[in-house]
Amino acid sequence: MRVRFIEPRPPGHHVYDRALLPRLGCPLMATMLRERGHDAYCYCDVLASVDVDDCLRADLVGISATTSTQPYAYRLADELETAGVPVVLGGPHVTFMADEGLEHASYVVRGEGEHTICQLVQAVDREESPANIAGLSWRDTDRRAHHNPPRGPCSQQQFQALPIPDLSLIHGHERMTTKPLMTQWGCPYDCEFCAVTAMFSRSVRYRRTDQILTELAGLDAERVFFHDDLFVVNKNRTRDLLRQMLARDLTPQWLAQVRAAETVLLSKASRQPDLELLRLMRDAGCWMVMVGFESISDDALKQMNKKQTVRDIVDAVDLFHRYGIKVHGMFVIGTDTDTAEQADHTVQFAKRVAIDTIQLMIETPLPGTRLYRRAQAEGRIITTDWALYDGHHAVMRPARMHPLDLQRAMLDAMRRFYSQPNIAIPAARTLLRHAPSFARIALRNHVPAQLPTLAALALRHRWHDLLDTLTTGLPKTDRRVIEDALAVPVLRAYGREQITEWQSQDHTRTHLDLLATLP
């Protein structure tokens, strides 16, 4: 069978616009189908445009979306189904909104879909009924909806038997500068606002260290993003992986999502730092951690069921920085304990503890979460325009402020963090501190000849292009010195650009107008 997979582009501007990084579900399923003799291929819209004509020639098209990308997924599904191409939808949104999904597609995969999709393709290929495929919702020829029994999460044995996703099956894969790799599924925690546990369960399934090392070697990447919901869950396993990476000289620069205290401390009771793990992370190439700090209010953290304190945040930032690891802090505002001042307090806190970059998101009730069910029950949901459910828009009435005040507070706070002084001062300090190293690198690599080009890019505020131009062709060691030194000011400059562009887009302005009409 000819099967195509699509991962739609997020709507408008968002914090990860320049992250040319696909999720791994589509290439994994395509790899599994290839192994079974099918013609499978993927389109990730952030890497390269979807070839709709190619999809129209397919026997089945799978579209994997999140809540904010679901409207685009529905439009694609409508176009393909109208042309007679059956579509199967998957991902966290339709897992919990299957009836809605069936208004646009013949099939919906609920939950983990890797084995479900293989059984569905076999059934379609053999013209058999899908009635016995667990985890599948489908429409019959009379357009009646059927919801088969759920499929449980895959076992540890099944997870380890999954193949390495073939990234070359993604159209435009050569554009990836950072490559994704997943070492485990699931999260043992249960935050109120997060759909991960509902989608993948709280049962964490691990790949063997040798499997991860084989995939890492095959990626041949200078930078890797570990796509795990949490990279550090079982510390013994993490230490073993990092030691083996060092032993085999598989140490690209890498990024990962981690928790705060659970990563940097041996135990919360003793507050003793886990210096061995921090050293291993640094030596094995950890460049930046992305930490869900969520709030600087202990009351808010308790309401979220985060099992974390503000002290944990402060200690984590300090310890990561001691080992040269940059910190991207992810915060949520608009919780039931927050006032309009919370966003500004969060930025002041982030500056005080020297968090390198931040992501200030508005609490968003995603379908499948306890927060969504509570917001529905309390009548607080403002809109079900799913494209706005990206964390950048107020879609739920906060308890202690008007939603427009929340929206404006988020924007104002982000502008303050990504202000010109907060970009220029770190840049100046970096240039002064690294001036001798920069001079040596520049002279031995003929960088002065590039100064007119670099100046032109700077004048046009094209900071990422400037860094790419500066480092292209440099030896790996020199390139890493420059990238590491200039990363924070460049990322902050990028953040400032994104805020400006985000405010100017039509659907954001329309949403601000809507919020202004609310009582």
Side-chain angles (χ1 to χ4, degrees):
M1 274 183 61
R2 184 183 179 90
V3 183
R4 295 294 179 262
F5 292 99
I6 300 172
E7 181 186 334
R9 173 186 288 275
H13 294 287
H14 64 105
V15 71
Y16 296 118
D17 266 352
R18 287 189 64 95
L20 304 178
L21 198 64
R23 302 199 312 277
L24 287 170
C26 288
L28 174 57
M29 290 184 287
T31 302
M32 295 173 72
L33 291 176
R34 284 265 180 165
E35 290 180 345
R36 289 160 173 77
H38 299 287
D39 172 7
Y41 195 63
C42 304
Y43 293 98
C44 177
D45 210 9
V46 299
L47 286 174
S49 298
V50 176
D51 186 340
V52 177
D53 289 338
D54 179 47
C55 294
L56 287 169
R57 294 191 294 271
D59 300 303
L60 181 71
V61 173
I63 306 177
S64 177
T66 61
T67 296
S68 67
T69 62
Q70 202 63 58
Y72 180 30
Y74 286 156
R75 290 194 295 273
L76 282 171
D78 290 341
E79 180 179 355
L80 293 165
E81 289 270 355
T82 299
V85 180
V87 172
V88 52
L89 297 171
H93 183 84
V94 293
T95 287
F96 307 108
M97 306 290 283
D99 282 314
E100 179 187 278
L102 288 177
E103 294 174 10
H104 304 272
S106 299
Y107 309 98
V108 168
V109 170
R110 309 188 315 272
E112 297 174 7
E114 287 67 27
H115 295 290
T116 305
I117 195 72
C118 290
Q119 292 178 13
L120 175 62
V121 168
Q122 178 178 293
V124 173
D125 192 27
R126 296 177 179 177
E127 299 183 352
E128 297 173 347
S129 168
N132 295 319
I133 301 175
L136 185 72
S137 296
W138 53 286
R139 285 190 283 108
D140 61 24
T141 53
D142 295 323
R143 298 192 62 80
R144 289 176 299 188
H146 301 267
H147 302 288
N148 296 350
R151 181 183 296 272
C154 72
S155 66
Q156 175 70 26
Q157 184 178 12
Q158 288 174 317
F159 183 61
Q160 289 185 348
L162 293 173
I164 293 173
D166 183 353
L167 300 183
S168 71
L169 295 179
I170 306 173
H171 185 57
H173 65 91
E174 63 280 352
R175 295 189 64 208
M176 284 188 286
T177 54
T178 300
K179 295 187 179 179
L181 189 156
M182 182 172 283
T183 77
Q184 58 197 6
W185 277 357
C187 175
Y189 301 95
D190 190 22
C191 300
E192 185 191 36
F193 57 83
C194 184
V196 168
T197 52
M199 179 76 179
F200 292 102
S201 86
R202 295 178 68 182
S203 172
V204 180
R205 280 80 28 97
Y206 305 97
R207 296 174 68 200
R208 296 192 315 270
T209 296
D210 64 291
Q211 292 177 310
I212 300 166
L213 295 172
T214 298
E215 182 171 355
L216 189 57
L219 288 178
D220 190 28
E222 289 195 13
R223 182 168 293 178
V224 167
F225 175 63
F226 286 107
H227 233 305
D228 308 353
D229 297 305
L230 285 178
F231 180 66
V232 181
V233 177
N234 181 322
K235 281 194 167 183
N236 289 332
R237 170 189 171 276
T238 305
R239 289 190 188 97
D240 179 60
L241 172 61
L242 297 176
R243 290 189 190 107
Q244 292 296 325
M245 287 170 62
L246 285 163
R248 301 193 187 191
D249 196 25
L250 291 172
T251 55
Q253 286 186 332
W254 54 269
L255 307 86
Q257 297 183 109
V258 300
R259 281 177 67 94
E262 288 77 4
T263 303
V264 302
L265 300 180
L266 287 169
S267 77
K268 286 190 178 183
S270 70
R271 309 299 300 183
Q272 290 295 311
D274 193 338
L275 301 182
E276 182 192 19
L277 181 60
L278 288 163
R279 177 184 58 78
L280 285 169
M281 290 175 68
R282 177 198 64 197
D283 294 349
C286 184
W287 180 75
M288 175 179 274
V289 287
M290 309 167 84
V291 193
F293 294 136
E294 316 309 355
S295 179
I296 60 167
S297 162
D298 283 328
D299 288 340
L301 291 168
K302 185 175 181 180
Q303 181 204 345
M304 295 174 189
N305 196 34
K306 185 67 182 178
K307 296 181 172 62
Q308 174 178 282
T309 65
V310 176
R311 182 183 177 187
D312 294 338
I313 298 173
V314 175
D315 288 348
V317 175
D318 175 58
L319 285 164
F320 281 128
H321 280 167
R322 279 197 227 171
Y323 281 79
I325 298 171
K326 294 174 176 58
V327 178
H328 176 68
M330 299 181 286
F331 293 93
V332 174
I333 59 168
T335 68
D336 286 357
T337 64
D338 288 349
T339 63
E341 293 74 31
Q342 186 70 10
D344 184 56
H345 294 165
T346 300
V347 166
Q348 291 178 24
F349 173 87
K351 289 182 177 181
R352 186 169 66 252
V353 301
I355 297 174
D356 299 295
T357 58
I358 67 166
Q359 174 180 324
L360 192 59
M361 309 296 267
I362 294 173
E363 187 170 50
T364 302
L366 297 173
T369 64
R370 294 200 313 280
L371 177 62
Y372 179 78
R373 294 191 292 273
R374 181 163 68 85
Q376 264 196 323
E378 295 172 0
R380 293 168 59 183
I381 292 179
I382 296 168
T383 177
T384 53
D385 178 354
W386 302 125
L388 298 172
Y389 279 59
D390 57 0
H392 296 301
H393 299 85
V395 296
M396 177 181 79
R397 286 183 179 271
R400 302 182 64 188
M401 67 188 106
H402 191 279
L404 182 60
D405 294 334
L406 171 61
Q407 188 75 65
R408 287 173 172 166
M410 184 273 284
L411 286 170
D412 290 344
M414 288 287 280
R415 277 196 296 262
R416 279 191 289 276
F417 184 85
Y418 291 105
S419 66
Q420 289 182 342
N422 213 31
I423 297 167
I425 292 172
R429 288 173 178 164
T430 293
L431 291 172
L432 288 172
R433 186 167 60 251
H434 294 277
S437 298
F438 284 180
R440 288 192 295 271
I441 291 171
L443 290 173
R444 67 172 171 255
N445 292 286
H446 309 291
V447 172
Q450 295 179 292
L451 288 177
T453 301
L454 298 173
L457 292 171
L459 288 171
R460 285 179 283 170
H461 303 287
R462 291 171 55 184
W463 305 111
H464 273 279
D465 292 336
L466 185 151
L467 187 58
D468 289 344
T469 301
L470 185 60
T471 56
T472 297
L474 293 183
K476 182 178 179 180
T477 303
D478 290 348
R479 185 167 63 252
R480 283 199 174 183
V481 168
I482 292 177
E483 288 176 344
D484 190 62
L486 296 179
V488 170
V490 167
L491 287 172
R492 288 184 181 179
Y494 163 67
R496 182 176 176 82
E497 291 174 9
Q498 288 302 100
I499 295 163
T500 302
E501 292 176 354
W502 185 87
Q503 286 180 269
S504 65
Q505 59 192 1
D506 289 341
H507 76 279
T508 295
R509 290 181 173 181
T510 301
H511 187 61
L512 286 168
D513 291 341
L514 168 67
L515 296 180
T517 67
L518 298 177

